[in-house]
């Protein structure tokens, strides 16, 4: 059985269909008395707007896409939760896809016939695509970039200050009196911008403390996964002069490092202090609790950094927001 229509509501409230439409959609100004009368009838009849028809008429779908490299990484799962909450408050649905860091998959999303054209906007954390590919993309779906792949401000871009985050974490370890601070997670290749920025912050902190960088204490990893953190710290404690502290480039690396240190009989933080970056919830329940650098949350950005994507705004894009990070000790 079909539900009540705008015509049914208009007839019961003794107003025009246009007036009912204005009340339902919040368009033209309607007097408080008239709005209350129409709303009463809407409630009595149980009217529900046809969202599909409304969105088609407005040239929108009511959906945005979130595209990340790895869904099983807790940081991206927690990020997705924040984005979904912000989108829901504005009447949008979020669809999530995973690229596995595959450049071809990322480029596919930029094509003219891409499924991305079904959405009002695209939030993407890219690994491989270039600034030129983004500027020359065949579809013109509004895009907000997430993460640290550098695009010179040509598109809205939300990221933390990775240099400051790593510098702050390393300084925290130095302030504890540690002098052989290792770093786990460097990625010295084209798609490793996040890691490279964190290595820069690590080096800056040591330089400011007057400590020469020991290159044997910097361990590269192809991904930021627990297993790789464990393997890296095993290499470090096997050195003739092992570290007394470790900066891990994310919390998963740090959790793997803590596990490996504990199994090898090293006490954390007594023998080796460990700091991560990302402040994922899992770190609060490790043993010991993980000291970490917490990126700013959605609440730190009034209005949210995601609003441009679903407004379809024609205004020039913003430069990247780079709010400061802070340290949460375990």
């Amino acid at each position: 059985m079909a539900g009540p229509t705008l015509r049914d509501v208009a007839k019961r409230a003794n107003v025009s269909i246009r007036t009912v439409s204005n009340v339902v959609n919040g368009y033209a100004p309607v007097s408080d008395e008239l709005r209350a009368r129409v709303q009463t009838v809407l409630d009595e009849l149980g009217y529900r707007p046809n969202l599909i028809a409304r969105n088609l008429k407005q040239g929108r779908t009511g959906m945005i896409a979130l595209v990340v490299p790895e869904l099983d990484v807790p940081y991206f799962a927690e990020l997705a939760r924040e984005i979904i909450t912000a989108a829901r408050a504005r009447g949008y649905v979020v669809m999530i896809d995973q690229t596995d860091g595959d450049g071809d998959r990322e480029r596919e999303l930029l094509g003219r016939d891409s499924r991305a054209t079904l959405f009002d906007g695209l939030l993407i954390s890219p690994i491989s695509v270039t600034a030129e590919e983004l500027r020359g993309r065949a579809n013109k779906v509004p895009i907000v970039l997430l993460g640290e792949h550098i695009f010179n401000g040509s598109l809205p871009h939300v990221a933390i200050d990775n240099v400051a985050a790593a510098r702050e974490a390393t300084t925290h370890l130095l302030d504890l009196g540690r002098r052989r601070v290792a770093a786990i997670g460097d990625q010295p290749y084209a798609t490793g911008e996040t890691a490279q920025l964190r290595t820069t912050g690590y080096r800056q902190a040591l330089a400011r403390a007057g400590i020469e960088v020991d290159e044997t204490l910097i361990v590269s990893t192809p991904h930021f996964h627990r297993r790789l953190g464990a393997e890296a710290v095993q290499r470090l404690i096997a050195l003739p002069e092992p570290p007394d502290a470790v900066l891990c480039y994310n919390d998963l690396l740090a959790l793997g490092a803590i596990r490996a240190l504990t199994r090898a009989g090293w006490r954390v933080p007594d023998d080796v202090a460990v700091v991560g970056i990302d402040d994922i919830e899992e770190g609060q329940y490790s043993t010991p609790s993980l000291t970490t650098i917490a990126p700013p949350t959605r609440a730190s950005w009034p209005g949210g950094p995601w609003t441009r994507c679903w407004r379809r705004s024609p205004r020039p894009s913003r430069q990247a927001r780079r709010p400061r990070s802070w340290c949460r000790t375990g």
Side-chain angles (χ1 to χ4, degrees):
M1 179 178 176
T5 65
L6 291 178
R7 186 181 298 278
D8 297 330
V9 176
K11 184 177 180 180
R12 173 79 71 88
N14 195 29
V15 298
S16 68
I17 294 176
R18 179 177 293 276
T19 297
V20 177
S21 178
N22 288 339
V23 171
V24 170
N25 295 297
Y27 288 159
V30 178
S31 69
D32 292 342
E33 183 274 331
L34 195 56
R35 184 180 300 278
R37 190 204 317 172
V38 171
Q39 188 61 55
T40 297
V41 175
L42 289 168
D43 295 339
E44 289 175 352
L45 296 180
Y47 173 82
R48 294 293 181 270
N50 186 327
L51 296 180
I52 295 177
R54 177 196 290 182
N55 288 338
L56 288 174
K57 184 176 180 180
Q58 295 175 348
R60 56 188 286 270
T61 65
M63 298 186 295
I64 60 174
L66 170 63
V67 181
V68 298
E70 299 175 289
L71 281 172
D72 55 352
V73 171
Y75 172 80
F76 287 116
E78 294 180 15
L79 175 67
R81 179 184 61 198
E82 296 285 0
I83 291 173
I84 290 169
T85 299
R88 183 185 298 126
R90 293 164 175 81
Y92 282 78
V93 173
V94 179
M95 305 295 287
I96 302 176
D97 198 1
Q98 174 177 290
T99 65
D100 297 312
D102 181 5
D104 290 339
R105 175 64 184 133
E106 292 176 358
R107 295 180 189 94
E108 179 186 332
L109 292 168
L110 306 178
R112 186 180 303 278
D113 298 324
S114 166
R115 285 179 295 174
T117 57
L118 300 175
F119 300 97
D120 293 332
L122 179 65
L123 295 163
I124 181 170
S125 179
I127 299 294
S128 301
V129 295
T130 65
E132 290 72 23
E133 288 172 321
L134 280 167
R135 284 194 293 268
R137 67 190 189 277
N139 72 62
K140 298 303 178 184
V141 175
I143 289 180
V144 172
L145 303 173
L146 310 176
E148 289 68 40
H149 204 41
I150 305 301
F151 295 105
N152 302 317
S154 60
L155 287 168
H157 184 183
V158 179
I160 70 168
D161 188 334
N162 283 280
V163 175
R167 186 174 60 237
E168 183 176 335
T170 307
T171 300
H172 170 73
L173 294 170
L174 295 170
D175 288 345
L176 294 177
R178 310 302 170 114
R179 287 299 176 265
R180 285 190 57 76
V181 181
I184 296 176
D186 188 35
Q187 295 175 349
Y189 40 82
T191 59
E193 289 95 340
T194 298
Q196 292 165 26
L197 291 169
R198 293 178 183 181
T199 299
T200 297
Y202 162 79
R203 291 179 181 276
Q204 287 181 358
L206 292 180
R208 291 182 181 184
I211 297 176
E212 184 177 352
V213 176
D214 181 346
E215 300 296 336
T216 65
L217 294 179
I218 301 177
V219 181
S220 299
T221 62
H223 303 286
F224 289 175
H225 295 168
R226 298 174 186 85
R227 175 179 59 81
L228 298 174
E231 292 174 356
V233 89
Q234 287 168 354
R235 290 170 53 189
L236 288 167
I237 60 178
L239 292 172
E241 293 185 66
D244 57 9
V246 180
L247 164 66
C248 294
Y249 288 11
N250 84 337
D251 286 352
L252 292 185
L253 289 171
L255 292 171
I258 289 174
R259 168 74 169 170
L261 286 166
T262 302
R263 295 193 67 178
W266 295 66
R267 297 171 300 165
V268 179
D270 302 75
D271 299 326
V272 180
V274 178
V275 173
I277 297 175
D278 280 347
D279 192 26
I280 62 173
E281 185 177 12
E282 185 179 345
Q284 299 177 34
Y285 299 95
S286 64
T287 303
S289 297
L290 178 63
T291 295
T292 183
I293 296 294
T297 63
R298 175 172 54 86
S300 303
W301 291 315
W306 328 115
T307 53
R308 178 174 301 280
C309 203
W310 51 67
R311 284 177 182 163
R312 285 188 173 272
S313 171
R315 293 173 294 178
S317 61
R318 296 181 281 107
Q319 294 292 324
R321 288 174 178 256
R322 297 190 182 276
R324 290 185 59 81
S325 305
W326 62 92
C327 188
R328 179 182 65 74
T329 56

